[in-house]
Amino acid sequence: MQITGLLDQYEIKKITGILRKAPFLDALFGALSDEKQKSLLSNCRLFRVKPGEYVINKGDISSWMYVVLKGGCFAYIEKDDRIPINHLKPGDIVGELTAIMGLPRTAFIVANFDEPETLLVGIDFSVFSNVQDSRMDLSSKILVFQVIQRTIFKRLRSVENELSQRGINPIHPSPALETPPHYMSQKDQLREYMVNSSAGAASLMILSDQLSNYLN
């Protein structure tokens, strides 16, 4: 696996043009000014992964989340499993739920064996989740969490809908998508977004496991 800084290789306009082909990153960069986009990119890394190489190992704890740019990955519960539980394609997000919740990784993520190379952009989530971290300002962190929160809840509703269509009752009540009041301080707003995103991530993990168990 080759890991490099994005700004070490590309001009900012060129790399943002590439990254914005992924819906999550498009929403993220679309909410930030050019200066704040550069600040975000300085905390991102480009991962070039060979076929069959592990991107994430089950049980590891990491603050990094990834977006697939090219190629793809497979998710396995155990290393010797023959059938993956998920196929991740360009534009998909990898590892964001456990990064948000600070939990051990729940699966092995392996680069597609049939692709000559898989490219991912890695984002250090600790930059956003630590209120005291000065690498990004509070207003940028709030914007980032707004995008992350909407992304998680969109996926949550999709899983809920699929469970409903299959006649399955969700085993965990979904939290409401809430927006912190404007009169709150930026620090308090950020904490509210963090709590709401974590609650959504927890619900999504539970419902995804329920759907996976049903399909298996």
Side-chain angles (χ1 to χ4, degrees), residues 12-144:
I12 185 168
K13 288 186 177 180
K14 182 176 181 179
I15 190 59
T16 52
I18 296 172
L19 297 180
R20 292 188 69 167
K21 292 179 180 179
F24 171 76
L25 294 174
D26 181 47
L28 193 57
F29 282 98
L32 299 171
S33 66
D34 290 348
E35 182 180 349
K36 291 177 179 179
Q37 287 180 16
K38 186 175 181 180
S39 179
L40 173 60
L41 286 171
S42 67
N43 296 294
C44 296
R45 299 291 181 268
L46 182 66
F47 292 74
R48 296 180 180 272
V49 192
K50 297 177 182 178
E53 193 171 6
Y54 284 84
V55 178
I56 290 175
N57 284 291
K58 183 179 178 180
D60 287 353
I61 296 178
S62 173
S63 62
W64 286 78
M65 55 187 287
Y66 308 88
V67 179
V68 181
L69 298 179
K70 176 184 175 184
C73 296
F74 292 104
Y76 297 91
I77 295 296
E78 301 297 342
K79 274 191 174 182
D80 56 356
D81 286 350
R82 293 181 177 272
I83 301 176
I85 59 170
N86 198 5
H87 178 202
L88 301 157
K89 300 175 286 297
D92 287 342
I93 311 173
V94 185
E96 81 285 7
L97 299 184
T98 51
I100 288 171
M101 299 178 67
L103 297 174
R105 303 294 197 187
T106 57
F108 294 97
I109 306 297
V110 184
N112 194 328
F113 297 91
D114 298 323
E115 296 284 351
E117 182 180 58
T118 291
L119 295 180
L120 305 100
V121 60
I123 306 172
D124 184 0
F125 192 75
S126 67
V127 175
F128 315 124
S129 59
N130 184 349
V131 177
Q132 305 302 326
D133 194 312
S134 61
R135 285 176 288 175
M136 288 195 74
D137 63 278
L138 283 172
S139 62
S140 296
K141 293 180 182 182
I142 289 171
L143 285 172
V144 168

